[in-house]
Amino acid sequence: MKLSLGPLLYYWPRTRVLEFYAEIADAPVDTVYLGEVVCSRRHELAFEDWLEIAALLEAHGKEAVLSAQALVEGAGDLKAVRRVADNGALRVEANDMGAVRLLSGRAGWVAGPHLNVYNPETLALMAELGATRWVAPVESSRALLEGALSARPAGLECELFAHGKLPLAFSARCFTARRFNLQKEGCEYRCLGYPDGIALDTREGEPFLTLNGVQVQSARRYSLIHEITSLREAGVDVLRLSPQSQGTVEALRAWRAACDGALTPPLDQPDCCDGFWHGRPGLEQGMPEAGRGA
């Protein structure tokens, strides 16, 4: 199975981003998604910087893919999506239907996880428009995935989010700015101070969500590392890991070892979950494959 590294969902200083991808260049990952997916106000890196990072990764044998923004709110956002779609050199991941329209008829693009593709009919439409890889919605269960792939179009790869904090939803309102009683347009770029988002607990002190600008993520880390066999059986070709401020390279190494048949490494911590894959609430933790049927 192939491994991919999803787009960086957090807002980090420019130097930290460059250092991070220099480390990823030597990591055991096949595909790396690049670009700003969450918020157009994040501008530590310019479009040209992402292209330079892509060139570095390609020089190290990786496939680099440019990811388009998921929530397009105005003319400026649309211009950015057009620039990604028309880059002329790199494969593109579409994360909203506007990007799909721009890419329609161009073979080789990726249908991203935010397109709400849940059935074989919609999947067939994406393939007809030129998609050659489908990233399933992050809340997909095994049953949903197998149903959508029941009439898989020829040549279409399936990718699934398998490790990291789940990107659950987007909003026109910036949750991080509201946390500090700021307007979105005057957010003071507070996201820079939270390299893995802001943890949000319930009144009872239980982990609830993670706030990341206009994006809401899971509080717990999703991990399907104990489900390699069932993922293969369901038809998954590519497993996506999501960047975190610490431990990303180590996670990629552990996943590569697991996919290659090594004993499952101890990546599952008390804050991990895998409920969605089993058709249950996402925050639940299921039983590892080795423990089933005992």
Side-chain angles (χ1 to χ4, degrees):
M1 297 180 81
K2 296 179 182 178
L3 294 181
S4 75
L5 186 68
L8 177 61
L9 301 179
Y10 306 105
Y11 194 27
W12 295 352
R14 172 186 165 84
T15 54
R16 178 67 188 104
V17 175
L18 298 179
E19 291 169 357
F20 175 77
Y21 285 109
E23 296 171 1
I24 295 302
D26 293 318
V29 61
D30 302 286
T31 301
V32 182
Y33 292 83
L34 302 169
E36 181 52 54
V37 172
V38 177
C39 178
S40 60
R41 288 182 56 78
R42 298 177 175 181
H43 55 260
E44 285 286 300
L45 270 70
F47 182 75
E48 291 74 18
D49 293 321
W50 291 116
L51 295 182
E52 290 183 10
I53 294 171
L56 169 68
L57 294 169
E58 290 180 330
H60 283 74
K62 320 295 186 195
E63 177 194 28
V65 179
L66 282 182
S67 294
Q69 194 170 320
L71 182 63
V72 179
E73 297 186 75
D77 293 347
L78 180 57
K79 181 179 179 180
V81 172
R82 287 186 184 277
R83 194 172 190 187
V84 170
D86 296 335
N87 78 87
L90 300 173
R91 196 177 190 181
V92 174
E93 178 187 59
N95 282 302
D96 90 311
M97 292 305 294
V100 170
R101 182 178 182 277
L102 292 172
L103 293 166
S104 178
R106 310 182 196 181
W109 54 273
V110 180
H114 307 297
L115 292 180
N116 298 328
V117 177
Y118 294 102
N119 56 65
E121 293 79 12
T122 308
L123 191 56
L125 174 62
M126 295 296 106
E128 182 181 334
L129 295 176
T132 53
R133 180 180 293 175
W134 168 53
V135 187
V138 298
E139 70 274 21
S140 295
S141 65
R142 177 175 180 173
L144 185 150
L145 193 76
E146 289 177 332
L149 292 175
S150 61
R152 184 197 292 224
L156 184 75
E157 289 184 301
C158 174
E159 180 173 338
L160 182 69
F161 188 104
H163 184 92
K165 291 187 176 181
L166 291 160
L168 298 173
F170 294 86
S171 171
R173 172 173 291 181
C174 178
F175 300 105
T176 303
R178 291 288 293 176
R179 164 65 178 79
F180 294 100
N181 294 316
L182 298 169
Q183 297 295 319
K184 181 179 178 180
E185 294 73 17
C187 66
E188 300 176 0
Y189 306 106
R190 292 296 183 99
C191 286
L192 279 169
Y194 298 91
D196 292 303
I198 301 175
L200 181 65
D201 294 342
T202 66
R203 290 180 181 270
E204 293 74 28
E206 293 293 323
F208 180 44
L209 294 169
T210 299
L211 304 182
N212 178 40
V214 299
Q215 184 185 65
V216 175
Q217 301 177 338
S218 63
R220 300 182 186 277
R221 182 158 48 91
Y222 198 64
S223 180
L224 298 179
I225 198 166
H226 293 295
E227 300 291 341
I228 300 297
T229 299
S230 67
L231 289 162
R232 280 199 178 103
E233 292 173 348
V236 177
D237 304 295
V238 186
L239 297 169
R240 175 176 293 202
L241 284 71
S242 189
Q244 300 290 150
S245 64
Q246 302 292 328
T248 300
V249 172
E250 291 76 11
L252 286 166
R253 289 172 180 159
W255 272 89
R256 184 68 274 160
C259 289
D260 291 344
L263 291 175
T264 304
L267 271 181
D268 53 333
Q269 301 296 327
D271 68 336
C272 282
C273 61
D274 63 3
F276 282 143
W277 181 243
H278 303 289
R280 302 200 303 271
L283 54 75
E284 293 186 4
Q285 175 70 51
M287 183 183 297
E289 287 177 335
R292 294 198 181 99

